[in-house]
Amino acid sequence: GQRDSENFWKYSTKLKELDLQKGLDGNELDELNMHRFLEFYKETMTVSEMRENLRSTGAIQGNVRMIPITHILIFKYRADWHHLVNAPQGDNKAEIEEAQRKLDQVQAA
């Protein structure tokens, strides 16, 4: 809900702050900066724990070099990555129009 969306925004902003290569266009972190990200949110874990937790979602296999924000959220919210990659996109025109209408109302207020 609303709280999750605010947290997603905070996570995205912090990730971009820590992404030294892409900055504001960033969407992933290396392991060192991922640990800094986790520490900031008081979710510190060892390298082994982090790797194992990310692999436990099934979204990451093998060596972990760069960790996309989607993988962080999949782990944090125990989401099914199959649902994420198979979610419909682009065929929800009515919902987008309704969201735009609400946004326009809020901005006009």
Side-chain angles (χ1 to χ4, degrees), residues 3-48:
R3 181 178 169 163
D4 286 337
S5 64
E6 290 176 16
N7 284 337
F8 290 177
W9 182 257
K10 289 176 186 176
Y11 298 153
S12 175
T13 301
K14 188 63 176 175
L15 182 133
K16 290 174 185 198
E17 176 187 316
L18 294 172
D19 189 332
L20 303 177
Q21 295 172 346
K22 296 180 187 172
L24 294 178
D25 293 327
N27 60 5
E28 63 185 1
L29 292 174
D30 60 24
E31 283 187 289
L32 173 65
N33 284 309
M34 179 52 62
H35 283 286
R36 292 176 62 208
F37 176 91
L38 293 171
E39 287 172 4
F40 182 82
Y41 290 104
K42 309 216 181 327
E43 297 180 21
T44 306
M45 56 183 82
T46 67
V47 171
S48 301

Side-chain angles (χ1 to χ4, degrees), residues 43-80:
E43 297 180 21
T44 306
M45 56 183 82
T46 67
V47 171
S48 301
E49 289 172 327
M50 183 185 74
R51 288 177 182 171
E52 186 55 38
N53 285 331
L54 288 168
R55 286 188 186 110
S56 72
T57 66
I60 292 180
Q61 297 178 354
N63 292 335
V64 177
R65 295 288 179 248
M66 299 299 288
I67 304 151
I69 192 168
T70 52
H71 292 213
I72 299 161
L73 296 174
I74 287 169
F75 167 71
K76 183 165 184 56
Y77 290 94
R78 301 289 184 225
D80 181 354

